[in-house]
Amino acid sequence: MKVPKNLGMRQTTVIVSLFLLAFAFVISNCDTGVQTVASGEELFLSYCAICHGTDGTGGGPMTEHLKLPPADLTKIAARRAGNFNADQVYQIIDGRVPVAGHGTGDMPIWGNTLKESEKLKNEKQVRQSIDNLVEYLRSIQQ
Ligand code: HEC
């Protein structure tokens, strides 16, 4: 069998491509801490505006199909004596832990939905997405 001394152009291309593929695979799976999840505003417009309205005040197109009107999300703090409790808002959005006094079932369980719809890789990205939403909601308080 004849072993070529120098690799031809085609072999080199194949080998380089394999290396690049392996590299891309490693990068995509390691937790670099780089923020890859969508911004709070993007997430809000994709998942929440349909019920809460694009400005968050309620009255999105789904409203007529719901038992309860979607809450006005610009008044989360106003409804709680001016206090925006980020932890509580986080729990309400996540929905995987039942929140006392909340849970009519009309508000979807985003912790699960976001993970699938946004193709999030891990729990850290789910938390980051919900944190982004919470910060967006904080920014629209009136
Ligand atoms: C299918 C309609 C629907 C969608 C979509 C929806 N919500 Fe809601 N949401 C509701 C309803 C209805 C309520 C009020 C009733 C209740 O308390 O369950 C509510 C209540 C809330 C509350 C509680 C407000 C308060 O002051 O207690 C928050 C926070 C909230 N939604 C955030 C979100 C976010 C963030 C999204 C998007 C990720 C979202 N909602 C998507 C229907 C929806």
Side-chain angles (χ1 to χ4, degrees), residues 23-89:
F23 183 67
F25 182 76
V26 169
I27 289 289
S28 70
N29 278 280
C30 75
D31 206 347
T32 50
V34 175
Q35 207 216 64
T36 48
V37 305
S39 75
E41 185 172 12
E42 285 163 348
L43 291 169
F44 184 84
L45 293 174
S46 306
Y47 299 102
C48 321
I50 186 161
C51 287
H52 291 285
T54 47
D55 63 356
T57 58
M62 275 283 280
T63 304
E64 54 180 304
H65 305 290
L66 300 172
K67 283 173 271 160
L68 260 189
D72 177 347
L73 299 183
T74 66
K75 302 235 157 56
I76 297 173
R79 277 190 290 274
R80 292 164 175 83
N83 176 26
F84 186 90
N85 182 337
D87 288 338
Q88 188 197 33
V89 175

